[in-house]
């Protein structure tokens, strides 16, 4: 880890000042991602701004506009929140499946959303796109954990935030403050597909600060399913979250969002179309699952993820419907 | 002639380990915890390249950095060849570890990067760059017994399949390393995380030009070795040299990535097996072509393992890759041989439509004689019967009949064997002090198996004391020569001389105090902390010892016949569920039936068996060293993408000690290796039973399971 | 939460903010905002130079409250809590194993919560309460005793982390009788390589009973 200067502001205003630099700056919250990246020299900032002393960033509150979750809210507190547990089981489930008890005590909502990809070529110092001598190491190499959508492009990593998936399914909005003021964007707009190795996958500009995410009021049936190798600490291979506005017994407007398949949280428009106006039955779920894999172009090793997309989409929908057919009797 | 007590008071019971509370309370000081006055922190600089020549090394930038006290080149410019990522280049010692890391990064190394072969596939490919002087592969001639090709013609059922297991690494939680502390210009004390204090001492003597008498290696406790920690290693010698140069002690341990890259590994295995049997369920022939990589080391494994096939041939090819060299890892070769053979046995049983349990028992040698006149085949039969009952084998169903929903349930089993005998040249000293304290000394060490505790159990048994009254001083290279902790040899090597030492010390005590009691030595005995004369209590243990005056009793024990043996069997059963829509395997239950002669401490013995099973579960479900063909780098040198079971991955585990009177008379046999051998095999078979399809590649990951299902579907 | 790569495969050092903004290829919708932000950042930088934030750099003294005792040493901002405890304060119960928030051997209780000290900066712990395994009751009612009696350890290197996670779990669930599944979930942030989990589970269940009875 390279030496850096350190500040620990206690107000968002001071945090913004500190984030302005000079030099390269990294914001530090739980530390479970950034500290590791710094130890591996994947990040070597001149300055680290510790945000956990900014108490105003933490907390969950129900406001007229919806449920506000501070970016500094720890995952342990999010998982214990009774409203989330009752009304937003998809978010609750995704949260309790992140990391370990210790990680959930440390990690924050903002840190989860803005962590950097786990792609092992990136983590081994080959840049976000994982290239060497201009060639993709990912495409030729071990891509078992990489993307199956948008793979005609150069960004083959997957977005690492499993909370982004239910949050996008729930149409959550992110509030970002920066030197230029405050702006509110859909959570999905926090991410972009980088076009070159100079790009980033996050849209936040240096000096900007994610302060909260807001889940709009209104009833949304939601569900989540994640497939992973280990039951203990592990990353999902693929996960799906759904947020469904119902018209009586049929789906009015529904969102189907996937983890583990693209460099951004992946909204499956085909699956969303397949469920519109349909009742939440196994047939609907199967149809959505089949639609969800349309256009998938797996890499050399990750064809198995196609099956996982089908399964997770189907199960997330049926989870929302309360039909957990896969649970052992 | 010494013998184990016929009705022991302590031996075979469950006794908490002597150093357990020190470890559980954080008070035990590991070699990586030792902090002598003036300690400097060492950092090893590793090669980032997998194949290269070292053209130049410039240490100067590091030497002038703040806090740096010594810098040492470990590679030679213009001479050294790099064979794998992580190979040692230089070492630094500085006031803080942060500064040492800065300095290591400041060292300028110029490499001529050479082509590499990172995987077996890449190494054996046609036109692959030849990166090893002897060639990338070395094929041994086929070893043939009988006439396998002819015999195969007569088989009623034949399977031909290829099975693969990846390279895995030891992942010792305490990395390899040591703390070097010079006590004078020619005298050094080393706190080493090792399985062999004597091995490390010997390395120090040879590499530093010291006299044996001036080298002390101490390993009070250590954080795991599994076969990879027998030597001082390059970095350990470097620590000693840096400490000498700086005039201050140096702590040097590998970081986690280096631990994966150069701390050793278990070789991979690939086996193309053709196995044939007659309708009656008897094997008739086996033809096997196998290969594997141990980096630049060997990768052979036993085949057809525990089964009898008279007509067989086997050809093994060593494949060399630019990866760290293999080191012994818990039952070297056996887990691989067991997995591939047991998979083939299961697949053939399925093809024959025979219950795999019966098929196995029908194909053991009639007489598989091991030490002490024990027929291991008889052992297997009884063990399998016990295991079958414990897992509920009567629920076994043929492949493809294990559930209508997405969750399939399956059962599998596998057999294993191991030697586990001891060395006959080790010693233990026993000292009985006038204050009543009892000390055992030997230059062996406890790597977590409970070696310290079992020596104390023996002493307490003989002297009529409690285990806590015995001071079991091991992990010191200056003590009487002790066994390295490997191959399940520690207990059978150390328990006999321990018994001998304590009995000799007791007899000497009797001899010296008998006259003062107006008794003959043979009238004396010890029981419940008391000295008895002709069966009557005459003094407490402390009072008896006080009669020694100023002179303690010391005795050195040596190996004696009849106290230890070798040659064990064992079997394991696994019950799994497989979600065929996700490929996720969950192990529900494992039954391990294990013999190992006379068990000294049932508590630590069971822990070892549990641990072996869990190690095998990791091998079966999770572990894999993933190498990148493009860069030659290991992609998962961590504990996150290198996957290891956590608490919620642990199934119900039933350990059944095959602890019969016939086994006890054999004497002690080690148990570290055998219980880890057959777990991955049993899990693989349970998965095949559940889903009706063989998953030919370990680990049983969702990727490998789904790929196998897709391949089967494609074929259908 | 601004983050920025400070290293690219072609060379360390990080790119400048301006270069980043030029090359970032942000979505059209946010591009406008971003260029506004660029101007604002320049202003903020000037402001920041005027009113320099409270910055720590280089080696500086730090006092930490460890097991009820004030302990002082010198650290850099980059020094982790784990390395500070082990290398500077001789608190060697927490162990360094994965060093990347995966294995739990470094677990300490920070203001009541078990956390990984390998990915916690020491300077961020000023004023907080740090409990390590060394501070636990080693008597018969304590968690270390239960681990000892049930052989919840072999080589023992993961053990302080397990004991600490167990203690924290039991403290957070007072008076309850955890099931085996509860215990497994509570200890799911720790990895043992010797495979001593069975003893660990028994120890945790036994300790829960004792603590409940106490």
């Amino acid at each position: 880890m390279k030496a850096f200067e350190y500040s620990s502001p206690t107000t968002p205003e001071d945090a913004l000042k500190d984030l302005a630099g000079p030099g390269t700056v990294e914001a530090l919250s739980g530390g479970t991602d950034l500290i590791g990246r710094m130890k591996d020299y994947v990040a070597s900032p001149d300055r680290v701004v510790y945000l956990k002393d900014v108490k105003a960033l933490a907390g969950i509150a129900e406001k007229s506009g919806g449920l506000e979750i501070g970016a500094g809210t720890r995952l342990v507190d999010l998982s214990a929140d009774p409203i989330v547990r009752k009304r937003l089981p998809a978010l609750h489930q995704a949260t309790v499946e992140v990391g370990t008890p210790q990680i959930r005590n440390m990690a924050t909502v903002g840190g989860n959303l803005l962590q950097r990809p786990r792609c092992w070529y990136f983590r081994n110092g080959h840049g976000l796109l994982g290239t060497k001598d201009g060639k993709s190491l990912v495409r030729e190499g071990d891509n078992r954990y990489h993307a199956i959508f948008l793979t005609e492009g150069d960004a083959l990593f997957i977005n690492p935030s499993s909370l982004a998936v239910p949050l996008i399914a729930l149409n959550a909005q992110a509030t970002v403050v920066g030197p230029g003021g405050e702006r509110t964007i859909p959570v999905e707009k926090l991410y972009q597909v980088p076009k070159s190795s100079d790009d980033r996958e996050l849209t936040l500009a240096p000096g900007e600060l994610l302060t909260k995410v807001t889940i709009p009021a209104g009833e949304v049936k939601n569900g989540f399913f994640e497939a992973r190798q280990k039951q203990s600490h592990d990353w999902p291979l693929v996960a799906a979250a759904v947020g469904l506005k119902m018209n009586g017994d049929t789906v009015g407007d529904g969102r189907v969002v996937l983890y583990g398949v693209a460099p951004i949280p992946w909204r499956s428009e085909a699956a969303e179309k397949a469920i519109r106006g349909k009742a939440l039955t196994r047939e609907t779920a199967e149809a959505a699952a089949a639609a969800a894999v349309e256009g998938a172009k797996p890499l050399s090793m990750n064809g198995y993820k196609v099956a996982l997309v089908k399964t997770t989409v189907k199960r997330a929908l049926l989870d929302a419907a309360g039909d957990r057919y896969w649970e052992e009797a | 002639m010494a013998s184990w007590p016929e009705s022991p008071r302590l031996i075979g019971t469950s006794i908490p380990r002597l150093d357990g509370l020190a470890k559980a309370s954080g008070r035990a000081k590991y070699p990586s915890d030792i902090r002598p006055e003036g300690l400097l922190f060492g950092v090893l600089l590793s090669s980032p390249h997998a194949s290269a020549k070292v053209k130049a090394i410039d240490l100067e930038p590091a030497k002038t950095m703040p806090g740096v006290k010594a810098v040492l080149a470990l590679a030679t410019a213009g001479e050294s060849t790099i064979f794998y990522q992580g190979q040692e280049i230089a070492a630094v010692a500085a006031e803080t570890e942060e500064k040492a890391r800065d300095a290591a990064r400041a060292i300028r190394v110029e490499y001529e990067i050479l082509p590499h072969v990172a995987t077996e596939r890449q190494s054996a490919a046609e036109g692959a760059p030849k990166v090893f002087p002897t060639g990338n592969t070395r094929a041994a001639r086929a070893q043939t017994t009988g006439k396998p090709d002819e015999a195969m013609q007569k088989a009623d059922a034949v399977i031909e399949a290829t099975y693969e297991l990846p390279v895995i690494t030891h992942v010792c939680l305490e990395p390899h390393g040591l703390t070097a502390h010079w006590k004078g210009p020619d005298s050094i004390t080393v706190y080493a995380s090792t399985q062999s204090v004597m091995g490390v001492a010997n390395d120090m003597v040879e590499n530093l030009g010291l006299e044996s008498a001036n080298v002390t290696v101490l390993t009070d406790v250590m954080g795991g070795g599994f076969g990879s920690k027998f030597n001082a290693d390059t970095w350990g010698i470097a620590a000693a040299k840096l400490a000498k140069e700086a005039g201050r002690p140096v702590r040097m341990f590998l970081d986690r990535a280096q631990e994966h890259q150069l701390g050793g590994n278990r070789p991979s295995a690939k086996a193309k097996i053709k196995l044939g049997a007659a309708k009656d369920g008897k094997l008739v022939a086996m033809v096997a072509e196998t290969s594997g990589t141990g980096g630049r080391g060997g990768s052979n494994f036993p085949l057809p393992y525990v089964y009898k096939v008279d007509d067989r041939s086997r050809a093994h090819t060593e494949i060399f890759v630019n990866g760290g060299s293999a080191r012994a890892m818990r039952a070297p070769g056996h887990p691989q041989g067991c997995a591939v053979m047991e998979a083939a046995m299961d697949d053939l049983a399925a093809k024959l439509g025979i219950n795999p349990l019966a098929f196995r028992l029908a194909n053991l040698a009639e007489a598989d004689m091991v030490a002490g006149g024990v027929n291991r085949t008889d052992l297997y039969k009884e063990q399998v019967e016990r295991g079958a009952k414990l897992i509920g084998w009567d629920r076994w169903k043929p492949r493809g009949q294990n559930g209508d929903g997405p969750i399939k349930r399956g059962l599998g089993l596998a057999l294993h064997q191991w030697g586990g005998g001891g060395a006959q040249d080790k010693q233990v000293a026993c000292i009985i002090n006038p204050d009543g304290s009892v000390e055992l000394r030997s230059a062996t060490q406890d790597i977590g198996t409970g070696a310290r505790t079992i020596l104390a159990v023996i002493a307490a048994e003989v002297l009529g004391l409690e285990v806590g009254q015995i001071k079991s001083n091991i992990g010191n290279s200056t003590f009487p020569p002790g066994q390295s902790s490997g191959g399940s040899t520690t207990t059978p090597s150390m328990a006999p001389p321990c018994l001998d030492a304590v009995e000799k010390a007791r007899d000497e005590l009797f001899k010296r105090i008998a006259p003062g009691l107006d008794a003959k030595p043979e009238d004396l005995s010890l029981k419940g902390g008391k000295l008895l004369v002709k069966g009557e209590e005459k003094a407490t243990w402390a009072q008896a010892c006080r009669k020694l005056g100023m002179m303690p009793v010391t005795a050195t024990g040596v190996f004696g016949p009849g106290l230890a043996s070798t040659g064990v069997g064992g079997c394991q059963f696994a019950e799994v569920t497989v979600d065929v829509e996700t490929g996720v395997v969950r192990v529900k239950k494992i039954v391990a039936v294990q013999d190992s002669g006379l068990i000294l401490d049932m508590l630590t013995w069971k822990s070892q068996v549990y641990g072996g099973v869990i190690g095998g579960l990791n091998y079966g479900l999770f572990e894999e060293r993933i190498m990148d063909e493009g860069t030659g780098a290991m992609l998962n040198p961590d504990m996150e993408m290198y996957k290891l079971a956590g608490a919620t991955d642990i199934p119900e585990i039933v350990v059944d000690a095959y602890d019969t009177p016939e086994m006890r008379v054999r004497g002690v046999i080690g148990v570290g290796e055998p219980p880890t051998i057959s777990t991955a095999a049993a899990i693989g078979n349970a998965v095949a039973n559940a889903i009706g399809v063989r998953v030919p590649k370990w680990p049983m990951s969702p990727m490998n399971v789904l790929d196998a299902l897709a391949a089967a579907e494609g074929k259908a | 939460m601004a983050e920025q790569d400070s290293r690219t495969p072609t060379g360390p050092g990080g790119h400048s903010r301006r270069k980043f903004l030029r090359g970032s290829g942000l979505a059209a919708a946010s591009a406008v905002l971003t260029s506004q932000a660029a101007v604002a950042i320049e202003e903020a930088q000037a402001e920041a130079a005027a009113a320099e934030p409270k910055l720590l750099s280089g080696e500086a003294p730090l006092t930490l409250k460890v097991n009820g005792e004030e302990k002082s040493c010198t650290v850099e901002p980059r020094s982790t809590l784990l390395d500070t405890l082990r290398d500077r304060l001789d608190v060697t119960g927490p162990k360094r194993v994965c060093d990347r928030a995966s294995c739990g051997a470094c677990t300490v209780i920070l203001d009541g919560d078990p956390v990984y000290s390998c990915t916690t900066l020491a300077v961020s712990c000023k004023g907080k309460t740090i409990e390590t395994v060394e501070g636990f009751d080693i008597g018969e009612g304590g968690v270390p005793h239960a681990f000892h009696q049930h052989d919840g350890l072999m080589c023992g290197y993961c053990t302080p982390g397990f004991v600490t996670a167990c203690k924290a779990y039991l403290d957070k669930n007072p008076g309850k009788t955890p099931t085996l599944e509860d215990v497994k979930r509570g200890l799911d942030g720790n990895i043992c390589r010797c495979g001593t989990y069975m003893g660990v589970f028994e120890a945790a269940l036994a300790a829960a009973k004792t603590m409940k009875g106490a």
Side-chain angles (χ1 to χ4, degrees), chain A residues 1 41 118 120-121 124 126 132 137 141-142 144-145 225 227-235 237 301 304 307-308 311 314-315 325-326 328, chain B residues 101-102 105 406-407 409 577 579 581-582 584 586 588 621-622 624 626 628 630-631 634-635 640-641 643-644 646 648-649 701-703 706-707:
Chain A
M1 203 187 304
Y41 299 94
R118 310 300 298 188
W120 43 33
Y121 293 99
N124 272 307
H126 298 287
K132 189 183 166 197
L137 290 166
D142 197 306
R144 69 183 71 185
Y145 299 130
F225 186 84
R228 66 185 199 208
Q229 186 170 353
K230 280 164 61 180
Q231 201 152 320
S232 67
H233 187 197
D234 204 358
W235 294 87
L237 295 163
M301 290 180 74
Y304 73 99
L308 290 178
T311 304
K314 181 169 73 173
R315 292 189 183 179
Y325 71 91
W326 59 91
E328 289 172 68
Chain B
R101 289 203 181 281
D102 286 345
R105 277 174 70 80
I407 311 289
R409 207 165 262 270
T577 61
D579 183 338
E581 292 183 345
T582 61
V584 173
R586 301 278 183 237
K588 296 292 169 186
L621 290 183
F622 301 131
E624 182 171 9
I626 300 173
D628 181 45
T631 58
M634 180 175 173
L635 291 171
E640 180 170 320
M641 306 316 285
K643 300 187 184 197
L644 292 165
T648 51
D649 298 307
S701 62
M703 177 175 76
L706 289 173
D707 284 353

Side-chain angles (χ1 to χ4, degrees), chain B residues 439-475:
Chain B
E439 186 187 357
L440 301 171
R441 291 180 173 184
S442 182
T444 185
Q445 52 286 308
D446 191 333
I447 65 166
T449 56
R452 168 175 283 119
T453 306
I454 56 141
L455 297 183
V457 168
I458 293 166
E461 182 79 54
V462 172
L463 300 177
L465 299 174
E466 292 311 312
V467 178
Q469 289 176 270
I470 312 296
K471 203 155 172 52
S472 189
N473 269 341
I474 56 176

Side-chain angles (χ1 to χ4, degrees), chain A residues 1 26 40 116 199-200, chain C residues 3-5 23 78 100:
Chain A
M1 203 187 304
E26 291 273 9
D40 291 335
R116 304 303 306 277
D199 278 4
R200 282 159 50 96
Chain C
E3 297 194 40
Q4 190 158 335
D5 285 337
R78 61 175 162 166
R100 297 290 186 284

